[in-house]
């Protein structure tokens, strides 16, 4: 079943077409990774899906409903949660307070504070610590926990592994199947192409705002991916 359907989406930053006539479909329970060089439009696409960058043209359907013009705050209630680039935690609040911020406009579902602590046991031990004291990877994990507490049908994660210690990235990818197993669908922006090819059911490679290659990792050759990534012929 198709959960998300994006058609001919164009998003501008001023004169610049950051996303340029992009189409993609995402099935329920799938993991889709978006790869592409710096400036390819990956973050803009995610922000557009979260309602933060309004499209110039094109459409976005979610669960069969046209959400193209739905404001960001209503998309959380509709089931879309974004883990933004740079994590954006409240640095002076504790781990637990940050997690509970995600329970605002929460939908009913399996994700509760104890369930998040079960996924990331270290968070329970450090729940009264300020977010500012966490490493980048720990902050990323809290940001994921916070997004899960909204019980999203679609989890958008920007720059999942950028700048994080490999051990934390590994842990996040270890828990991903458990998250998707609860019925959440994931759309990730992943800097690390080989990581994306390992975890995703499908990948889309963006180049100058367009999807220039897409498919299942097993069906794509390293050469195809490299050519798409760097825009070679
Ligand atoms: P990166 O990995 O560097 O974040 P990206 O693939 O996520 O790259 P975007 O951040 O979506 O790409 O940027 C796409 C294009 O839009 C780039 O040329 C970028 O400079 C431009 N851009 C992004 N945000 C803005 C903004 N707020 N105002 C103006 N231009 C922007």
């Amino acid at each position: 079943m198709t959960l998300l359907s994006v058609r001919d989406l164009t998003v501008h930053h001023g004169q610049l077409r950051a996303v340029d006539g992009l189409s993609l479909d995402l099935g329920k329970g799938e993991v889709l990774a978006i790869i592409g060089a710096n400036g390819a439009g990956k973050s803009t696409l995610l922000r557009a899906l979260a309602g933060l960058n309004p499209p110039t043209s094109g459409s976005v359907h979610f669960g069969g409903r046209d959400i193209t013009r739905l404001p960001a705050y209503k998309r959380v209630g509709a089931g879309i949660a974004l883990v933004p680039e740079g994590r954006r935690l409240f640095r002076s609040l504790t781990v637990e307070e940050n997690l509970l911020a995600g329970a605002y406009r929460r939908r009913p579902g399996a994700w509760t504070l104890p369930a998040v602590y079960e996924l990331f046991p270290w968070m329970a031990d450090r729940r009264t610590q300020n977010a500012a004291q966490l490493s980048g990877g720990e902050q990323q994990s809290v940001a994921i926990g916070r997004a899960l507490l909204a019980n999203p049908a679609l989890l958008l994660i920007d720059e999942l592994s950028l700048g994080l210690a490999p051990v934390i990235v590994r842990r996040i990818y270890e828990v991903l199947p458990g998250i998707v197993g609860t019925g959440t669908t994931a759309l990730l922006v992943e800097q690390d192409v080989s990581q994306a090819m390992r975890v995703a059911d499908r990948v889309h490679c963006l180049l100058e705002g367009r999807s220039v290659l897409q498919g299942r990792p097993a069906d794509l050759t390293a050469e195809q991916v490299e050519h798409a990534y760097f825009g070679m012929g």
Side-chain angles (χ1 to χ4, degrees), residues 133-160:
Q133 292 168 274
L134 303 179
S135 72
E138 289 163 350
Q139 290 185 29
Q140 179 74 300
S141 307
V142 172
I144 292 172
R146 179 179 63 182
L148 288 176
L149 276 174
N151 276 308
L154 175 62
L155 183 63
L156 306 170
I157 308 182
D158 203 355
E159 311 282 13
L160 195 142

PDB file of all heavy atoms in Angstrom, residues 133-160:
ATOM      1  N   GLN A 133      24.580  18.296  27.555  1.00  0.00           N
ATOM      2  CA  GLN A 133      25.684  17.433  27.992  1.00  0.00           C
ATOM      3  C   GLN A 133      25.842  16.173  27.142  1.00  0.00           C
ATOM      4  O   GLN A 133      26.749  15.381  27.368  1.00  0.00           O
ATOM      5  CB  GLN A 133      25.476  17.018  29.452  1.00  0.00           C
ATOM      6  CG  GLN A 133      25.622  18.168  30.430  1.00  0.00           C
ATOM      7  CD  GLN A 133      25.129  17.756  31.806  1.00  0.00           C
ATOM      8  OE1 GLN A 133      23.943  17.846  32.116  1.00  0.00           O
ATOM      9  NE2 GLN A 133      26.036  17.247  32.628  1.00  0.00           N
ATOM     10  N   LEU A 134      24.951  15.978  26.189  1.00  0.00           N
ATOM     11  CA  LEU A 134      25.002  14.747  25.380  1.00  0.00           C
ATOM     12  C   LEU A 134      25.925  14.921  24.181  1.00  0.00           C
ATOM     13  O   LEU A 134      26.090  16.023  23.664  1.00  0.00           O
ATOM     14  CB  LEU A 134      23.600  14.406  24.864  1.00  0.00           C
ATOM     15  CG  LEU A 134      22.497  14.228  25.895  1.00  0.00           C
ATOM     16  CD1 LEU A 134      21.189  13.909  25.179  1.00  0.00           C
ATOM     17  CD2 LEU A 134      22.842  13.133  26.895  1.00  0.00           C
ATOM     18  N   SER A 135      26.479  13.819  23.728  1.00  0.00           N
ATOM     19  CA  SER A 135      27.266  13.842  22.494  1.00  0.00           C
ATOM     20  C   SER A 135      26.308  14.013  21.310  1.00  0.00           C
ATOM     21  O   SER A 135      25.089  13.844  21.452  1.00  0.00           O
ATOM     22  CB  SER A 135      28.032  12.518  22.339  1.00  0.00           C
ATOM     23  OG  SER A 135      27.125  11.489  22.004  1.00  0.00           O
ATOM     24  N   GLY A 136      26.868  14.304  20.147  1.00  0.00           N
ATOM     25  CA  GLY A 136      26.038  14.486  18.951  1.00  0.00           C
ATOM     26  C   GLY A 136      25.174  13.274  18.655  1.00  0.00           C
ATOM     27  O   GLY A 136      23.996  13.390  18.323  1.00  0.00           O
ATOM     28  N   GLY A 137      25.756  12.091  18.796  1.00  0.00           N
ATOM     29  CA  GLY A 137      25.014  10.867  18.501  1.00  0.00           C
ATOM     30  C   GLY A 137      23.915  10.612  19.515  1.00  0.00           C
ATOM     31  O   GLY A 137      22.828  10.133  19.166  1.00  0.00           O
ATOM     32  N   GLU A 138      24.200  10.939  20.773  1.00  0.00           N
ATOM     33  CA  GLU A 138      23.162  10.790  21.800  1.00  0.00           C
ATOM     34  C   GLU A 138      22.022  11.763  21.533  1.00  0.00           C
ATOM     35  O   GLU A 138      20.849  11.409  21.673  1.00  0.00           O
ATOM     36  CB  GLU A 138      23.779  11.014  23.183  1.00  0.00           C
ATOM     37  CG  GLU A 138      24.701   9.878  23.590  1.00  0.00           C
ATOM     38  CD  GLU A 138      25.648  10.233  24.738  1.00  0.00           C
ATOM     39  OE1 GLU A 138      25.745  11.425  25.123  1.00  0.00           O
ATOM     40  OE2 GLU A 138      26.308   9.315  25.245  1.00  0.00           O
ATOM     41  N   GLN A 139      22.377  12.970  21.121  1.00  0.00           N
ATOM     42  CA  GLN A 139      21.329  13.947  20.793  1.00  0.00           C
ATOM     43  C   GLN A 139      20.485  13.462  19.619  1.00  0.00           C
ATOM     44  O   GLN A 139      19.264  13.609  19.614  1.00  0.00           O
ATOM     45  CB  GLN A 139      21.956  15.302  20.449  1.00  0.00           C
ATOM     46  CG  GLN A 139      22.561  15.973  21.654  1.00  0.00           C
ATOM     47  CD  GLN A 139      23.068  17.366  21.341  1.00  0.00           C
ATOM     48  OE1 GLN A 139      22.561  18.049  20.456  1.00  0.00           O
ATOM     49  NE2 GLN A 139      24.084  17.794  22.062  1.00  0.00           N
ATOM     50  N   GLN A 140      21.151  12.873  18.625  1.00  0.00           N
ATOM     51  CA  GLN A 140      20.415  12.338  17.473  1.00  0.00           C
ATOM     52  C   GLN A 140      19.442  11.252  17.931  1.00  0.00           C
ATOM     53  O   GLN A 140      18.304  11.184  17.469  1.00  0.00           O
ATOM     54  CB  GLN A 140      21.414  11.770  16.446  1.00  0.00           C
ATOM     55  CG  GLN A 140      20.798  11.166  15.218  1.00  0.00           C
ATOM     56  CD  GLN A 140      20.258  12.196  14.253  1.00  0.00           C
ATOM     57  OE1 GLN A 140      19.379  12.971  14.603  1.00  0.00           O
ATOM     58  NE2 GLN A 140      20.785  12.209  13.046  1.00  0.00           N
ATOM     59  N   SER A 141      19.903  10.395  18.860  1.00  0.00           N
ATOM     60  CA  SER A 141      19.040   9.322  19.356  1.00  0.00           C
ATOM     61  C   SER A 141      17.835   9.904  20.109  1.00  0.00           C
ATOM     62  O   SER A 141      16.711   9.409  19.975  1.00  0.00           O
ATOM     63  CB  SER A 141      19.824   8.386  20.281  1.00  0.00           C
ATOM     64  OG  SER A 141      20.987   7.936  19.629  1.00  0.00           O
ATOM     65  N   VAL A 142      18.082  10.953  20.921  1.00  0.00           N
ATOM     66  CA  VAL A 142      16.967  11.588  21.640  1.00  0.00           C
ATOM     67  C   VAL A 142      15.989  12.214  20.640  1.00  0.00           C
ATOM     68  O   VAL A 142      14.767  12.107  20.796  1.00  0.00           O
ATOM     69  CB  VAL A 142      17.481  12.656  22.650  1.00  0.00           C
ATOM     70  CG1 VAL A 142      16.301  13.437  23.246  1.00  0.00           C
ATOM     71  CG2 VAL A 142      18.302  11.995  23.758  1.00  0.00           C
ATOM     72  N   ALA A 143      16.545  12.814  19.590  1.00  0.00           N
ATOM     73  CA  ALA A 143      15.675  13.427  18.579  1.00  0.00           C
ATOM     74  C   ALA A 143      14.805  12.359  17.899  1.00  0.00           C
ATOM     75  O   ALA A 143      13.641  12.598  17.586  1.00  0.00           O
ATOM     76  CB  ALA A 143      16.507  14.179  17.549  1.00  0.00           C
ATOM     77  N   ILE A 144      15.369  11.171  17.705  1.00  0.00           N
ATOM     78  CA  ILE A 144      14.580  10.073  17.124  1.00  0.00           C
ATOM     79  C   ILE A 144      13.509   9.625  18.121  1.00  0.00           C
ATOM     80  O   ILE A 144      12.346   9.435  17.764  1.00  0.00           O
ATOM     81  CB  ILE A 144      15.493   8.905  16.703  1.00  0.00           C
ATOM     82  CG1 ILE A 144      16.359   9.337  15.514  1.00  0.00           C
ATOM     83  CG2 ILE A 144      14.676   7.654  16.345  1.00  0.00           C
ATOM     84  CD1 ILE A 144      17.437   8.341  15.122  1.00  0.00           C
ATOM     85  N   GLY A 145      13.911   9.487  19.391  1.00  0.00           N
ATOM     86  CA  GLY A 145      12.947   9.110  20.437  1.00  0.00           C
ATOM     87  C   GLY A 145      11.803  10.109  20.524  1.00  0.00           C
ATOM     88  O   GLY A 145      10.632   9.735  20.633  1.00  0.00           O
ATOM     89  N   ARG A 146      12.164  11.374  20.456  1.00  0.00           N
ATOM     90  CA  ARG A 146      11.157  12.445  20.521  1.00  0.00           C
ATOM     91  C   ARG A 146      10.178  12.329  19.353  1.00  0.00           C
ATOM     92  O   ARG A 146       8.971  12.437  19.532  1.00  0.00           O
ATOM     93  CB  ARG A 146      11.877  13.790  20.468  1.00  0.00           C
ATOM     94  CG  ARG A 146      10.952  14.980  20.501  1.00  0.00           C
ATOM     95  CD  ARG A 146      11.728  16.276  20.460  1.00  0.00           C
ATOM     96  NE  ARG A 146      12.485  16.435  19.224  1.00  0.00           N
ATOM     97  CZ  ARG A 146      13.278  17.472  18.965  1.00  0.00           C
ATOM     98  NH1 ARG A 146      13.446  18.427  19.868  1.00  0.00           N
ATOM     99  NH2 ARG A 146      13.917  17.550  17.820  1.00  0.00           N
ATOM    100  N   ALA A 147      10.719  12.063  18.163  1.00  0.00           N
ATOM    101  CA  ALA A 147       9.847  11.922  16.989  1.00  0.00           C
ATOM    102  C   ALA A 147       8.939  10.694  17.144  1.00  0.00           C
ATOM    103  O   ALA A 147       7.752  10.738  16.806  1.00  0.00           O
ATOM    104  CB  ALA A 147      10.687  11.804  15.722  1.00  0.00           C
ATOM    105  N   LEU A 148       9.489   9.600  17.695  1.00  0.00           N
ATOM    106  CA  LEU A 148       8.688   8.371  17.845  1.00  0.00           C
ATOM    107  C   LEU A 148       7.518   8.577  18.805  1.00  0.00           C
ATOM    108  O   LEU A 148       6.457   7.979  18.635  1.00  0.00           O
ATOM    109  CB  LEU A 148       9.569   7.223  18.335  1.00  0.00           C
ATOM    110  CG  LEU A 148      10.552   6.670  17.309  1.00  0.00           C
ATOM    111  CD1 LEU A 148      11.434   5.615  17.953  1.00  0.00           C
ATOM    112  CD2 LEU A 148       9.802   6.090  16.112  1.00  0.00           C
ATOM    113  N   LEU A 149       7.730   9.435  19.816  1.00  0.00           N
ATOM    114  CA  LEU A 149       6.653   9.638  20.796  1.00  0.00           C
ATOM    115  C   LEU A 149       5.402  10.268  20.179  1.00  0.00           C
ATOM    116  O   LEU A 149       4.332  10.235  20.772  1.00  0.00           O
ATOM    117  CB  LEU A 149       7.158  10.468  21.977  1.00  0.00           C
ATOM    118  CG  LEU A 149       7.864   9.620  23.039  1.00  0.00           C
ATOM    119  CD1 LEU A 149       8.473  10.483  24.115  1.00  0.00           C
ATOM    120  CD2 LEU A 149       6.900   8.622  23.654  1.00  0.00           C
ATOM    121  N   ALA A 150       5.562  10.853  19.013  1.00  0.00           N
ATOM    122  CA  ALA A 150       4.380  11.358  18.305  1.00  0.00           C
ATOM    123  C   ALA A 150       3.631  10.207  17.612  1.00  0.00           C
ATOM    124  O   ALA A 150       2.573  10.407  17.045  1.00  0.00           O
ATOM    125  CB  ALA A 150       4.794  12.410  17.294  1.00  0.00           C
ATOM    126  N   ASN A 151       4.216   9.006  17.669  1.00  0.00           N
ATOM    127  CA  ASN A 151       3.652   7.829  16.983  1.00  0.00           C
ATOM    128  C   ASN A 151       3.424   8.082  15.498  1.00  0.00           C
ATOM    129  O   ASN A 151       2.309   7.929  14.989  1.00  0.00           O
ATOM    130  CB  ASN A 151       2.356   7.391  17.661  1.00  0.00           C
ATOM    131  CG  ASN A 151       2.650   6.498  18.846  1.00  0.00           C
ATOM    132  OD1 ASN A 151       3.370   5.504  18.732  1.00  0.00           O
ATOM    133  ND2 ASN A 151       2.133   6.871  20.005  1.00  0.00           N
ATOM    134  N   PRO A 152       4.481   8.463  14.803  1.00  0.00           N
ATOM    135  CA  PRO A 152       4.303   8.812  13.389  1.00  0.00           C
ATOM    136  C   PRO A 152       4.085   7.584  12.507  1.00  0.00           C
ATOM    137  O   PRO A 152       4.609   6.509  12.786  1.00  0.00           O
ATOM    138  CB  PRO A 152       5.645   9.463  13.033  1.00  0.00           C
ATOM    139  CG  PRO A 152       6.628   8.811  13.950  1.00  0.00           C
ATOM    140  CD  PRO A 152       5.879   8.543  15.233  1.00  0.00           C
ATOM    141  N   ALA A 153       3.321   7.780  11.458  1.00  0.00           N
ATOM    142  CA  ALA A 153       3.228   6.745  10.428  1.00  0.00           C
ATOM    143  C   ALA A 153       4.421   6.877   9.504  1.00  0.00           C
ATOM    144  O   ALA A 153       4.865   5.918   8.891  1.00  0.00           O
ATOM    145  CB  ALA A 153       1.929   6.907   9.650  1.00  0.00           C
ATOM    146  N   LEU A 154       4.949   8.107   9.397  1.00  0.00           N
ATOM    147  CA  LEU A 154       6.106   8.381   8.541  1.00  0.00           C
ATOM    148  C   LEU A 154       7.145   9.150   9.341  1.00  0.00           C
ATOM    149  O   LEU A 154       6.866  10.233   9.866  1.00  0.00           O
ATOM    150  CB  LEU A 154       5.674   9.202   7.319  1.00  0.00           C
ATOM    151  CG  LEU A 154       6.806   9.662   6.389  1.00  0.00           C
ATOM    152  CD1 LEU A 154       7.539   8.469   5.784  1.00  0.00           C
ATOM    153  CD2 LEU A 154       6.244  10.556   5.283  1.00  0.00           C
ATOM    154  N   LEU A 155       8.326   8.559   9.437  1.00  0.00           N
ATOM    155  CA  LEU A 155       9.430   9.184  10.162  1.00  0.00           C
ATOM    156  C   LEU A 155      10.438   9.693   9.135  1.00  0.00           C
ATOM    157  O   LEU A 155      10.962   8.917   8.329  1.00  0.00           O
ATOM    158  CB  LEU A 155      10.067   8.129  11.070  1.00  0.00           C
ATOM    159  CG  LEU A 155      11.198   8.556  11.994  1.00  0.00           C
ATOM    160  CD1 LEU A 155      10.723   9.581  13.006  1.00  0.00           C
ATOM    161  CD2 LEU A 155      11.754   7.333  12.732  1.00  0.00           C
ATOM    162  N   LEU A 156      10.693  10.995   9.172  1.00  0.00           N
ATOM    163  CA  LEU A 156      11.658  11.613   8.246  1.00  0.00           C
ATOM    164  C   LEU A 156      12.921  11.915   9.034  1.00  0.00           C
ATOM    165  O   LEU A 156      12.855  12.624  10.046  1.00  0.00           O
ATOM    166  CB  LEU A 156      11.094  12.927   7.699  1.00  0.00           C
ATOM    167  CG  LEU A 156       9.710  12.885   7.043  1.00  0.00           C
ATOM    168  CD1 LEU A 156       9.193  14.298   6.790  1.00  0.00           C
ATOM    169  CD2 LEU A 156       9.776  12.113   5.738  1.00  0.00           C
ATOM    170  N   ILE A 157      14.059  11.370   8.631  1.00  0.00           N
ATOM    171  CA  ILE A 157      15.306  11.626   9.369  1.00  0.00           C
ATOM    172  C   ILE A 157      16.316  12.262   8.433  1.00  0.00           C
ATOM    173  O   ILE A 157      16.730  11.662   7.433  1.00  0.00           O
ATOM    174  CB  ILE A 157      15.905  10.334   9.965  1.00  0.00           C
ATOM    175  CG1 ILE A 157      14.848   9.576  10.774  1.00  0.00           C
ATOM    176  CG2 ILE A 157      17.107  10.668  10.862  1.00  0.00           C
ATOM    177  CD1 ILE A 157      15.370   8.307  11.437  1.00  0.00           C
ATOM    178  N   ASP A 158      16.728  13.481   8.789  1.00  0.00           N
ATOM    179  CA  ASP A 158      17.664  14.206   7.933  1.00  0.00           C
ATOM    180  C   ASP A 158      19.092  13.951   8.390  1.00  0.00           C
ATOM    181  O   ASP A 158      19.368  13.988   9.589  1.00  0.00           O
ATOM    182  CB  ASP A 158      17.351  15.714   7.993  1.00  0.00           C
ATOM    183  CG  ASP A 158      17.874  16.439   6.771  1.00  0.00           C
ATOM    184  OD1 ASP A 158      18.553  15.807   5.931  1.00  0.00           O
ATOM    185  OD2 ASP A 158      17.603  17.636   6.647  1.00  0.00           O
ATOM    186  N   GLU A 159      19.985  13.705   7.440  1.00  0.00           N
ATOM    187  CA  GLU A 159      21.422  13.551   7.724  1.00  0.00           C
ATOM    188  C   GLU A 159      21.643  12.589   8.885  1.00  0.00           C
ATOM    189  O   GLU A 159      22.247  12.960   9.884  1.00  0.00           O
ATOM    190  CB  GLU A 159      22.039  14.902   8.096  1.00  0.00           C
ATOM    191  CG  GLU A 159      21.717  16.038   7.165  1.00  0.00           C
ATOM    192  CD  GLU A 159      22.523  16.016   5.878  1.00  0.00           C
ATOM    193  OE1 GLU A 159      23.158  14.980   5.595  1.00  0.00           O
ATOM    194  OE2 GLU A 159      22.488  17.022   5.165  1.00  0.00           O
ATOM    195  N   LEU A 160      21.173  11.372   8.728  1.00  0.00           N
ATOM    196  CA  LEU A 160      21.169  10.466   9.876  1.00  0.00           C
ATOM    197  C   LEU A 160      22.534  10.290  10.515  1.00  0.00           C
ATOM    198  O   LEU A 160      22.673  10.362  11.721  1.00  0.00           O
ATOM    199  CB  LEU A 160      20.575   9.113   9.497  1.00  0.00           C
ATOM    200  CG  LEU A 160      20.222   8.283  10.734  1.00  0.00           C
ATOM    201  CD1 LEU A 160      18.938   7.525  10.523  1.00  0.00           C
ATOM    202  CD2 LEU A 160      21.305   7.325  11.168  1.00  0.00           C
TER     203      LEU A 160
END
